[in-house]
């Protein structure tokens, strides 16, 4: 029996368990308890009249990358439905979606929920970010004759290898994509190998994303609390990295006693855990959700809130991007580069090799092998603010030159939009 059929039958069999699973996930903070019905394909608002463009991103990073496209589709006169699967992405979109667009949670990938979702929303075109493809949803979109576009498409080597181990399933899913707009040639080759019939290189949408916004009053309050202290930040860190960062801080304050180290964990709910780790090392630590603004006695400050990266990037001259000192693929450095931060990163950046390569070539980012190297690099930059600022300016200029993917993607999907206009679909 084909794997696609087996998958479909398995998800049908598991459908009665969906409610219990969602309530358990909500108790763990992984679902929004007030919006669980959306995960079952039940809409929480009316469908707008006219053309509806559906954009989907798995989580925070993918949904943020869609923001430039959302603006362009609204300018074309379409309403935009944006879906995602995480609480953090929903909260961020609530603050950043423009008028003419709205958010719903992506339904679980079971035929009952998928059909309910598509029957209600009736999208005219579906555009998914990166490689977020669910077999039942892909099949249902295809069966309704809705064009399916993969934008800003990328897939890691490991993920591609996993799909390749099930070639029939891969062909069924990737072969259903009408147009795959890859970030670069390496990703384009992987999608072609997996069976995508039409692949083009369109660049990285994340270069077009505007810098994260900030409330001016909140920024003034934050910077007022910091005063003239030197600040560096470790952002999107994962378990295993915070301990390294805390040890780096302990070394840096030997030469810079007034230093403030800001840690922004990828999962904000880990804030208290990191604060406990810092206290165990004898460090004076503040937790934003608990203690408010940073105080003079705090050497380490854990920013465990959502939607405040714009504040951190505007206050720190040096930023270390996490998920890179441990195997994990790295985190996207474009936002801090746009805001003029000097960027440091570890060796494990497989998911963003091209971006870091461009920044390194522009002398806007530097790789560090371990905690000792991170200490040396951070001290080198913090001790010379003019050098730090030159590095930050180089990064801002580099990412500005690399923009334009949103224009290319809109040009590529134009034939599908024209077809909608002709057929009324």
């Amino acid at each position: 029996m084909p794997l696609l059929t087996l998958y479909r039958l398995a998800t049908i069999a598991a459908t009665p368990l969906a409610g219990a699973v969602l309530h358990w996930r909500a108790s763990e903070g992984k679902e929004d308890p007030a919006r669980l019905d959306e995960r079952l394909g039940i809409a929480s608002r009316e469908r707008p009249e006219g053309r509806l463009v559906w954009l989907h991103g798995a989580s925070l990073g993918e949904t943020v990358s869609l923001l430039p496209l959302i603006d362009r589709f609204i300018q074309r006169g379409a309403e935009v439905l944006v879906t995602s699967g995480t609480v953090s992405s929903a909260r961020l979109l609530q603050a950043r979606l423009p008028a003419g667009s709205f958010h719903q949670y992506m339904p679980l990938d079971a035929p009952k929920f998928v059909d309910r979702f598509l029957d209600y929303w009736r999208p005219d075109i579906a555009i998914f970010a990166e490689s977020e493809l669910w077999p039942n949803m892909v099949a249902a979109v295809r069966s309704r004759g809705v064009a399916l576009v993969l934008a800003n498409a990328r897939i890691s080597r490991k993920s591609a290898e996993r799909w390749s181990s099930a070639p029939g399933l891969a062909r069924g899913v990737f072969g259903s994509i009408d147009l795959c707009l890859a970030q670069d040639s390496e990703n384009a080759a992987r999608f072609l190998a997996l069976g995508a019939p039409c692949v083009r290189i369109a660049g990285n949408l994340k270069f077009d994303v505007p810098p994260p916004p900030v409330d001016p009053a909140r920024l003034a309050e934050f910077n007022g609390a910091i005063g003239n202290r030197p600040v560096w930040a470790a952002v999107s860190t994962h378990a295993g990295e915070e301990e390294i960062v805390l040890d780096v801080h302990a070394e840096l304050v030997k030469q810079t006693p007034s230093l403030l180290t800001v840690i922004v964990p990828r999962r904000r709910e880990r804030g208290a855990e990191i604060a406990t780790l810092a206290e165990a090392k004898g460090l004076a630590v503040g937790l934003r959700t608990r203690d408010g603004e940073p105080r003079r006695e705090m050497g380490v400050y854990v920013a465990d809130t959502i939607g405040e990266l714009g504040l951190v990037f505007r206050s720190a001259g040096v930023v270390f991007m996490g998920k890179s000192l441990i195997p994990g693929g790295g985190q996207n450095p474009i936002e801090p580069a746009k805001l003029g931060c000097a960027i440091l990163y570890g060796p494990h950046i497989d998911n963003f090799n091209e971006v870091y390569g461009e920044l390194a070539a522009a002398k806007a980012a530097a790789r560090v092998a371990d905690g000792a190297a991170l200490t040396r690099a951070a001290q080198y930059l913090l001790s010379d603010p003019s050098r730090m600022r030159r590095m930050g300016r180089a990064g801002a200029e580099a990412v500005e030159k690399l923009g334009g993917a949103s224009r290319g993607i809109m040009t590529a999907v134009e034939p599908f939009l024209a077809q909608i206009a002709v057929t009324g679909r």
Side-chain angles (χ1 to χ4, degrees), residues 239-402:
E241 288 183 313
E242 290 92 6
E243 186 162 8
I244 296 172
V245 171
L246 293 171
D247 290 340
V248 169
H249 170 81
E251 289 298 315
L252 291 175
V253 293
K254 292 176 181 177
Q255 295 195 37
T256 313
S258 63
L259 178 71
L260 178 65
T261 295
V262 179
I263 299 177
V264 186
R266 179 65 171 174
R267 293 178 56 202
R268 304 301 189 260
E269 60 269 25
R270 294 186 55 245
E273 170 193 336
I274 297 164
T276 299
L277 184 62
E279 289 164 355
K281 291 178 176 289
L283 301 173
V285 60
L287 193 63
R288 185 158 178 80
T289 56
R290 180 189 69 196
D291 303 313
E293 302 298 337
R295 297 193 296 269
R296 173 64 57 180
E297 69 272 15
M298 297 172 182
V300 175
Y301 186 73
V302 183
D304 58 337
T305 54
I306 291 174
E308 292 198 306
L309 278 178
L311 182 149
V312 174
F313 291 148
R314 287 173 173 86
S315 303
V318 179
V319 170
F320 164 74
M321 293 303 298
K323 205 179 179 181
S324 62
L325 282 176
I326 58 169
Q331 296 286 178
N332 178 16
I334 295 173
E335 286 187 340
K338 283 199 168 193
L339 290 172
C341 300
I343 295 168
L344 303 175
Y345 61 95
H348 304 288
I349 52 162
D350 292 350
N351 293 340
F352 299 96
N353 272 323
E354 183 189 22
V355 177
Y356 280 105
E358 295 283 357
L359 291 175
K363 298 186 183 334
R367 172 175 165 165
V368 295
D370 51 26
L374 178 57
T375 301
R376 292 192 296 271
Q379 182 60 50
Y380 177 76
L381 291 169
L382 290 166
S383 66
D384 190 341
S386 63
R387 181 187 293 120
M388 180 177 64
R389 287 192 292 270
R390 284 197 303 273
M391 194 169 173
R393 283 196 299 272
E397 292 169 2
V399 295
E400 180 68 25
K401 292 176 183 176
L402 292 167

Side-chain angles (χ1 to χ4, degrees), residues 51-374:
R51 290 187 301 166
L52 183 65
V53 173
W54 172 27
L55 302 179
H56 172 69
S59 57
L60 195 61
E62 293 87 350
T63 50
V64 168
S65 73
L66 293 171
L67 289 172
L69 290 184
I70 294 169
D71 287 331
R72 288 180 179 272
F73 280 117
I74 291 172
Q75 291 167 9
R76 290 287 306 270
E79 295 281 339
V80 180
L81 162 65
V82 185
T83 59
S84 64
T86 64
V87 174
S88 59
S89 61
R91 288 174 180 166
L92 182 137
L93 288 171
Q94 185 177 8
R96 296 185 67 175
L97 280 181
S101 61
F102 57 95
H103 175 266
Q104 296 278 282
Y105 280 105
M106 181 75 153
L108 300 177
D109 196 48
K112 178 180 179 179
F113 310 140
V114 165
D115 289 340
R116 182 186 285 159
F117 175 89
L118 291 173
D119 289 344
Y120 182 86
W121 290 112
R122 306 184 312 280
D124 293 294
I125 184 172
I127 301 176
F128 291 3
E130 301 199 3
S131 55
E132 175 73 358
L133 295 169
W134 292 94
N136 286 326
M137 181 61 81
V138 169
V141 168
R142 185 76 170 177
S143 71
R144 285 165 170 75
V146 177
L148 176 57
V149 177
L150 203 58
N152 212 40
R154 73 175 180 91
I155 186 167
S156 69
R157 178 179 54 80
K158 289 183 179 179
S159 292
E161 288 173 353
R162 284 195 294 269
W163 278 105
S164 296
S165 66
L169 181 62
R171 284 194 301 273
V173 173
F174 291 93
S176 297
I177 301 169
D178 291 285
L179 177 62
C180 176
L181 299 170
Q183 292 184 12
D184 53 45
S185 58
E186 185 176 334
N187 280 291
R190 289 175 184 153
F191 283 108
L192 283 168
L194 289 170
C198 181
V199 181
R200 302 180 196 170
I201 299 170
N204 192 335
L205 260 179
K206 292 180 179 178
F207 287 115
D208 289 1
V209 176
V214 69
D215 182 296
R218 187 170 293 178
L219 179 62
E221 185 178 14
F222 188 71
N223 285 337
I226 293 172
N228 61 0
R229 299 173 66 183
V231 183
W232 78 295
V235 174
S236 293
T237 57
H238 287 63
E241 288 183 313
E242 290 92 6
E243 186 162 8
I244 296 172
V245 171
L246 293 171
D247 290 340
V248 169
H249 170 81
E251 289 298 315
L252 291 175
V253 293
K254 292 176 181 177
Q255 295 195 37
T256 313
S258 63
L259 178 71
L260 178 65
T261 295
V262 179
I263 299 177
V264 186
R266 179 65 171 174
R267 293 178 56 202
R268 304 301 189 260
E269 60 269 25
R270 294 186 55 245
E273 170 193 336
I274 297 164
T276 299
L277 184 62
E279 289 164 355
K281 291 178 176 289
L283 301 173
V285 60
L287 193 63
R288 185 158 178 80
T289 56
R290 180 189 69 196
D291 303 313
E293 302 298 337
R295 297 193 296 269
R296 173 64 57 180
E297 69 272 15
M298 297 172 182
V300 175
Y301 186 73
V302 183
D304 58 337
T305 54
I306 291 174
E308 292 198 306
L309 278 178
L311 182 149
V312 174
F313 291 148
R314 287 173 173 86
S315 303
V318 179
V319 170
F320 164 74
M321 293 303 298
K323 205 179 179 181
S324 62
L325 282 176
I326 58 169
Q331 296 286 178
N332 178 16
I334 295 173
E335 286 187 340
K338 283 199 168 193
L339 290 172
C341 300
I343 295 168
L344 303 175
Y345 61 95
H348 304 288
I349 52 162
D350 292 350
N351 293 340
F352 299 96
N353 272 323
E354 183 189 22
V355 177
Y356 280 105
E358 295 283 357
L359 291 175
K363 298 186 183 334
R367 172 175 165 165
V368 295
D370 51 26
L374 178 57

